[in-house]
Amino acid sequence: LLHPCTLAGGRLVFLHKWDAGRALELIEREGVTNFSGVPTMARELVMHPDWATRDTSTLKGIAGGGAPVQPDLVDTIDERLKDSGGTPTTGYGLTETHGIITANTAAWYVAKPASCGPVMPTFDAKLAGPDGEDLEPGPDVVGELCVRGPAVIKGYLNRPEATAEAIVDGWFHTGDIARIDADGFVTLVDRAKDMVLRGGENIGCAEVEAAIYAHESVAEAAVFGVPDERLGEEVAAVVVPREGRDVDVEELRSFVAGRIAKHKVPSRVWVRSESLPQNANGKFLKRQLRDEVLAESEAAAGA
């Protein structure tokens, strides 16, 4: 953002700390034309009560990155910017690709709000299967997104093993599971790496699980992300108590908060008496577990 704006003679407006009301004040005062931030910020901006009273007519674009933008937010941004002729925008990429791999904007984005857009012309892209085999894109085909091109790093400094793992035959493995449709639009469906993306912050599940396992009453623990309207994802956990012991959820959360950053502490914790489901390799089936507990919660709320 910095260099193009400087080259174009534009003005950059920064906030010391994120505040949607203050942002709207500055948009009006400075005549801001483009807003960029994580989806949480965009949502709070367009849903803020001051939106109706502040002059946002200069805004031509609200961009979201760092985390998936929920489809409903795309529609909301599009509606908010109609009078100014603005559009929602998103992009997907990694540090290893020196910025965006895909971009979705304007009418394309409104038509396909779940997609992060088509691959940039500087990249070739493909889907790889579990064993690294090439997959033919299709509406029901998912695989790890791999890219190659001049913007991909040559490797990690002094880390030949990491380089060999990430870059195979010139293809960089992103670690993200995706789908590519007939129009070449990429939709991210999951992450191969065990992470929770909370408000643009990557949280390693292993770190949270380690903190939970330090509690003397916990026998098993699995951490994963659950949908959250404001942050995109929130950290959640399912725990199984040791035999003869009980786990108090609030006491456990307090215990974990003393070991890791506050934003990494699970906001939702389910306690189960039976062992967690595992695959043949002994790994917890987190996706199945997540679906089960969310279904149980919805059923309980409905009752």
Side-chain angles (χ1 to χ4, degrees):
L1 296 176
L2 301 179
H3 296 310
C5 191
T6 302
L7 286 169
R11 177 186 300 154
L12 290 159
V13 182
F14 291 99
L15 283 171
H16 176 68
K17 182 180 181 181
W18 170 246
D19 180 275
R22 175 64 172 158
L24 285 167
E25 177 188 346
L26 291 173
I27 288 170
E28 179 182 75
R29 191 186 80 188
E30 303 293 336
V32 172
T33 56
N34 289 281
F35 172 87
S36 181
V38 298
T40 301
M41 295 177 180
R43 182 179 292 277
E44 292 184 351
L45 188 77
V46 298
M47 300 304 291
H48 197 279
D50 288 354
W51 180 276
T53 58
R54 290 291 183 183
D55 182 4
T56 57
S57 60
T58 57
L59 273 177
K60 299 300 180 184
I62 294 181
V69 181
Q70 299 88 356
D72 75 290
L73 179 56
V74 177
D75 293 335
T76 301
I77 293 173
D78 183 57
E79 182 63 33
R80 292 285 195 272
L81 298 183
K82 272 187 176 178
D83 291 342
S84 65
T87 60
T89 303
T90 194
Y92 157 74
L94 300 89
T95 302
E96 291 90 338
T97 61
H98 293 85
I100 60 171
I101 294 172
T102 71
N104 204 0
T105 187
W108 288 356
Y109 202 8
V110 177
K112 298 188 178 188
S115 172
C116 55
V119 175
M120 294 291 95
T122 49
F123 293 99
D124 294 322
K126 70 174 183 177
L127 297 178
D131 297 320
E133 73 278 14
D134 291 354
L135 301 177
E136 188 68 28
D140 299 317
V141 177
V142 296
E144 183 179 8
L145 182 65
C146 303
V147 296
R148 67 180 179 186
V152 175
I153 60 170
K154 290 185 177 180
Y156 298 102
L157 183 63
N158 299 325
R159 297 176 62 196
E161 292 182 358
T163 299
E165 181 180 352
I167 304 175
V168 181
D169 296 329
W171 290 92
F172 173 71
H173 289 243
T174 66
D176 290 303
I177 306 302
R179 181 185 297 110
I180 302 177
D181 68 15
D183 297 320
F185 278 65
V186 176
T187 299
L188 301 177
V189 298
D190 208 340
R191 286 184 298 282
K193 298 174 182 177
D194 198 9
M195 305 285 283
V196 175
L197 200 52
R198 180 186 184 274
E201 291 281 347
N202 284 300
I203 299 171
C205 293
E207 179 186 7
V208 182
E209 288 168 353
I212 294 174
Y213 272 118
H215 195 286
E216 61 180 7
S217 295
V218 174
E220 295 179 0
V223 172
F224 44 82
V226 293
D228 181 84
E229 182 175 326
R230 176 173 177 266
L231 299 168
E233 280 189 321
E234 261 287 15
V235 183
V238 178
V239 300
V240 177
R242 292 181 182 273
E243 188 174 352
R245 293 178 179 267
D246 295 317
V247 172
D248 179 87
V249 171
E250 289 307 313
E251 189 275 330
L252 176 64
R253 294 182 72 252
S254 177
F255 174 85
V256 172
R259 286 161 174 75
I260 57 178
K262 184 179 178 181
H263 70 280
K264 299 179 180 180
V265 177
S267 63
R268 303 181 69 178
V269 179
W270 291 272
V271 179
R272 283 194 161 189
S273 57
E274 69 273 14
S275 183
L276 304 182
Q278 302 176 7
N279 64 14
N281 295 323
K283 293 183 179 181
F284 292 138
L285 299 174
K286 292 188 178 183
R287 188 180 303 177
Q288 174 185 326
L289 188 60
R290 178 188 61 194
D291 293 343
E292 287 177 1
V293 295
L294 288 177
E296 290 170 2
S297 295
E298 290 176 2

